[in-house]
Amino acid sequence: MTSDIPTADHPAADPATRRPWWVLVLAILGVAGLAFAIGRFSMFGSAGPLPPGETSAEVGFSRDMQVHHAQAVEMAMEIYRKTDDPELRVLSYDIATGQSAQRGEMFDWLVQWGVPQGGGDMMAWMSASDAGHDHGVPAGSAPLGQNEAMELMGMASGAQLEQLRAAEGQEADCLFLDLMIRHHEGALPMADALLELGSDPRALQLAATIRSGQSAELDAMASIQQRLGCG
């Protein structure tokens, strides 16, 4: 029995046989719930060291990266729903499900560490790292405004998201790639900052996974841009 979920080796060539977009929604809910459950079991019966505190890099990273991932999932679901390009459909599926699972992990960490899901100034935790300096977050500077922080993180604006929702065909594909490339590029300094400043093994492992995975996806998106002739 074969699955009709698109894969890199067997992309969905016929749009009429592709899984509908709501299947991706169910997949996202499933992987996020599984990630949360894994986090619960990983802490069962383990005292371990003291958890990261409110002002730690791990907490700041988990909060900011959840916001960052949420928009990536939103954009990936939008292009998955309407693209006719098999390679882009596979990529958007991977981004949506993969980043949903990572969001579930980070959400659960904050629960385990006993800190709120939100709080503090976005990207302020990066100010002590070299990556933060390269990304416009100098040490001792005034806190960034939300719009400034979102721009440095590579986040799409509300107007750009509306444009993506309205676009169709190759225009939508190329716009998605442009927005997601900038989005991924904004995630890399965040991962680098945690790798420099953090100490929690699970958080460091996730940061390394984000850095390697999104670097590979950047290469894949640049290749698709070239193939589609995006301007």
Side-chain angles (χ1 to χ4, degrees):
M1 180 176 179
T2 60
S3 170
D4 55 353
I5 296 178
T7 66
D9 294 329
H10 302 285
D14 182 0
T17 63
R18 298 179 307 185
R19 290 199 173 203
W21 65 269
W22 54 263
V23 174
L24 178 57
V25 176
L26 295 179
I28 287 171
L29 292 174
V31 295
L34 179 61
F36 184 91
I38 290 173
R40 296 277 95 190
F41 282 113
S42 70
M43 291 295 291
F44 183 74
S46 174
L50 291 175
E54 174 74 28
T55 60
S56 67
E58 286 88 347
V59 168
F61 173 85
S62 298
R63 287 170 173 168
D64 288 356
M65 194 59 81
Q66 281 194 73
V67 174
H68 202 263
H69 275 18
Q71 189 179 86
V73 171
E74 179 184 357
M75 293 193 294
M77 289 178 64
E78 179 66 25
I79 203 65
Y80 177 90
R81 180 181 65 81
K82 61 189 178 186
T83 187
D84 289 324
D85 186 89
E87 186 180 4
L88 186 55
R89 189 171 173 83
V90 171
L91 178 64
S92 62
Y93 181 93
D94 289 344
I95 290 172
T97 55
Q99 295 203 17
S100 291
Q102 291 171 354
R103 283 186 69 204
E105 283 189 80
M106 291 182 284
F107 182 95
D108 188 47
W109 293 347
L110 295 175
V111 173
Q112 293 172 12
W113 298 338
V115 296
Q117 293 295 323
D121 297 307
M122 296 185 73
M123 301 182 73
W125 62 275
M126 294 175 61
S127 64
S129 79
D130 291 336
H133 299 164
D134 293 341
H135 210 50
V137 191
S141 64
L144 299 175
Q146 182 172 349
N147 290 339
E148 186 179 6
M150 299 284 262
E151 183 177 353
L152 288 174
M153 290 165 66
M155 301 281 281
S157 67
Q160 288 170 326
L161 293 175
E162 285 299 326
Q163 186 180 0
L164 179 61
R165 295 184 190 106
E168 298 289 343
Q170 185 171 331
E171 178 188 359
D173 292 347
C174 290
L175 179 58
F176 168 80
L177 290 166
D178 181 60
L179 294 176
M180 191 61 78
I181 285 173
R182 187 160 59 88
H183 202 268
H184 273 28
E185 289 173 344
L188 298 184
M190 297 167 67
D192 288 341
L194 183 64
L195 290 170
E196 179 185 343
L197 300 173
S199 59
D200 183 86
R202 295 172 304 166
L204 293 175
Q205 182 179 9
L206 180 59
T209 298
I210 289 173
R211 166 155 261 299
S212 61
Q214 295 202 17
S215 294
E217 288 172 351
L218 280 168
D219 291 340
M221 287 189 285
S223 176
I224 298 173
Q225 272 188 325
Q226 185 175 13
R227 174 172 59 78
L228 294 178
C230 298

